[in-house]
Amino acid sequence: MSTAADQNPQEQENIQPENTEATESTATEQTEQQAAETTATSSENGTSEADELRDKYLRLHAEFDNFRRRTSKERLELFKTANQELMVALIPVLDDLERAQSAMKDAQDVNAVREGVELVFSKFQNLLQQKGLKAMDAVGQPFDADVHEAITQIPAPSEEMKGKVIDQVEKGYYLNDKVVRFAKVVIGA
């Protein structure tokens, strides 16, 4: 009992290639359609992605401009009001000095006036120290060009004072460990 396919194997082989060719052509057409759809989708996505990226870029640029303007404005306000706290703290000392000045006009007792001025001076120094101002100790220290300004040199009174500060003409000051005024000094040579 043999079938027709068994009797004629060449016919079956001929049939199979035709089916394979049909399947291949169908698969090729489907692949081409998918590629075309993918290309269309990717070109649409490409433009939409480009639009999204452009929008994102514009938003970031605008955000940065706003940030720059805001920080610039804040810096200007900070510079304008930076001394406000110090000035408010100095007002009571100014009031004390005005009272001392008016008391000196009518004063008979020099010692009382001196004590009053010393109190105002002490109050003023304490206020400045609270704000971070500190006087330099220059006399007897080795000369340092980073904190001292040499006015002149004189012969050193002893061998160990050579290259050191002998006299201080004007005090130097630190504000929060930063030099705000150099000490004007005389150096031993």
Side-chain angles (χ1 to χ4, degrees):
M1 299 199 177
S2 65
T3 60
D6 289 336
Q7 292 173 359
N8 200 354
Q10 285 181 349
E11 284 181 24
Q12 189 177 12
E13 286 177 14
N14 288 341
I15 292 173
Q16 285 179 349
E18 287 176 11
N19 285 341
T20 306
E21 285 177 14
T23 306
E24 283 179 6
S25 67
T26 306
T28 306
E29 287 174 7
Q30 288 177 349
T31 307
E32 287 175 1
Q33 284 179 342
Q34 288 175 349
E37 288 174 5
T38 305
T39 307
T41 305
S42 65
S43 66
E44 289 173 9
N45 279 347
T47 56
S48 66
E49 281 183 41
D51 288 342
E52 286 177 24
L53 290 174
R54 186 176 303 115
D55 184 52
K56 194 174 190 180
Y57 168 75
L58 290 174
R59 288 180 188 275
L60 283 173
H61 192 319
E63 210 173 299
F64 180 71
D65 282 345
N66 291 339
F67 168 76
R68 197 176 64 219
R69 279 191 217 112
R70 185 177 60 248
T71 54
S72 176
K73 189 177 183 179
E74 287 173 358
R75 286 183 76 198
L76 286 174
E77 286 181 26
L78 180 66
F79 287 136
K80 287 179 182 177
T81 61
N83 292 328
Q84 180 179 356
E85 182 183 339
L86 178 64
M87 292 300 137
V88 168
L90 287 174
I91 291 172
V93 177
L94 180 63
D95 292 340
D96 290 344
L97 286 171
E98 287 174 350
R99 284 192 285 272
Q101 187 179 24
S102 65
M104 281 193 271
K105 292 178 185 173
D106 302 329
Q108 301 296 328
D109 188 10
V110 176
N111 288 333
V113 173
R114 183 180 307 128
E115 286 177 17
V117 171
E118 287 175 2
L119 283 172
V120 173
F121 181 71
S122 172
K123 185 176 183 178
F124 185 62
Q125 278 187 320
N126 290 336
L127 174 70
L128 293 177
Q129 285 177 352
Q130 287 174 358
K131 299 297 179 186
L133 191 71
K134 186 175 92 175
M136 287 182 198
D137 294 325
V139 178
Q141 301 292 322
F143 177 74
D144 183 2
D146 291 333
V147 295
H148 301 131
E149 182 180 332
I151 294 177
T152 187
Q153 286 185 339
I154 61 170
S158 65
E159 196 62 32
E160 56 194 39
M161 289 300 286
K162 283 190 176 181
K164 292 188 176 181
V165 176
I166 294 176
D167 190 22
Q168 180 172 269
V169 177
E170 190 174 90
K171 277 187 179 181
Y173 290 95
Y174 295 107
L175 181 61
N176 300 324
D177 297 327
K178 181 183 175 196
V179 177
V180 291
R181 185 170 88 177
F182 295 96
K184 294 184 180 175
V185 297
V186 178
I187 306 170

